[in-house]
Amino acid sequence: MLQTSIALLKEDAIEKVVEPTQQLNTTKTKAYLLEKHQEMFKYNGYHCFGLLYNKELIGVCSGWSTVKLYSGKQLELDNVIIDNNFQSKGFGKLFVEQIEAWAQENNYKTMELNTYVANGRSHKFYFNQGFEIIGYHFQKKI
């Protein structure tokens, strides 16, 4: 069994968080990602989860605390990332399970997320973790 743990990362870990974030956001510069992470850490409802394996940060995930009429207190997962060198080895499943345990301990009622329509690999993964499609995500740039 893989021995992992999660940690709530603080703003002083931004440099470490950006490395796996760049693997998912290949068109964004390191400077841009640093700036966005600095902005995110300023929000009260923001959580940055880290997945540790042998004390090495191999995964990151943003979590946003919100309350919605249809779901109550929810944790919205954003940018669930496992380092490319550790993918397809069960770490993603463990990471989501550990975040879910944290959410249950903190009285969340649901976990939700968005994933790109073209990312079929992630769809299969989230279905296997018990997530369901409940709607469409729309965006309008302003």
Side-chain angles (χ1 to χ4, degrees):
M1 174 145 183
L2 303 172
Q3 295 296 315
T4 61
S5 62
I6 64 168
L8 282 174
L9 304 176
K10 303 294 180 199
E11 194 167 358
D12 62 356
I14 287 178
E15 288 284 338
K16 290 180 181 176
V17 169
V18 166
E19 289 179 35
T21 304
Q22 282 187 293
Q23 293 178 10
L24 183 64
N25 299 279
T26 57
T27 63
K28 307 292 185 200
T29 66
K30 182 176 181 178
Y32 175 86
L33 293 171
L34 283 168
E35 177 185 324
K36 293 305 158 204
H37 280 290
Q38 288 168 341
E39 288 178 33
M40 291 187 307
F41 272 103
K42 289 180 177 34
Y43 282 89
N44 286 334
Y46 177 70
H47 309 283
C48 185
F49 298 97
L51 178 66
L52 304 173
Y53 177 62
N54 294 331
K55 299 183 181 179
E56 179 184 354
L57 182 68
I58 65 163
V60 295
C61 174
S62 295
W64 299 92
S65 293
T66 60
V67 176
K68 303 282 178 115
L69 292 174
Y70 70 90
S71 65
K73 184 178 180 184
Q74 72 169 235
L75 181 64
E76 182 178 345
L77 305 182
D78 188 25
N79 290 308
V80 181
I81 305 166
I82 300 297
D83 183 285
N84 290 340
N85 297 316
F86 294 90
Q87 290 183 0
S88 299
K89 296 177 180 168
F91 289 105
K93 179 181 187 304
L94 288 172
F95 196 19
V96 171
E97 287 174 352
Q98 291 174 1
I99 293 171
E100 182 176 348
W102 178 91
Q104 288 175 333
E105 290 169 11
N106 288 279
N107 301 312
Y108 287 83
K109 303 302 179 201
T110 63
M111 290 192 324
E112 301 191 16
L113 58 87
N114 292 307
T115 184
Y116 293 111
V117 172
N119 190 349
R121 185 172 174 220
S122 74
H123 303 164
K124 180 179 178 183
F125 173 79
Y126 290 117
F127 282 134
N128 287 337
Q129 305 316 307
F131 287 81
E132 299 174 2
I133 296 174
I134 62 168
Y136 292 101
H137 179 85
F138 289 87
Q139 180 187 64
K140 179 180 181 180
K141 293 187 178 187
I142 53 173

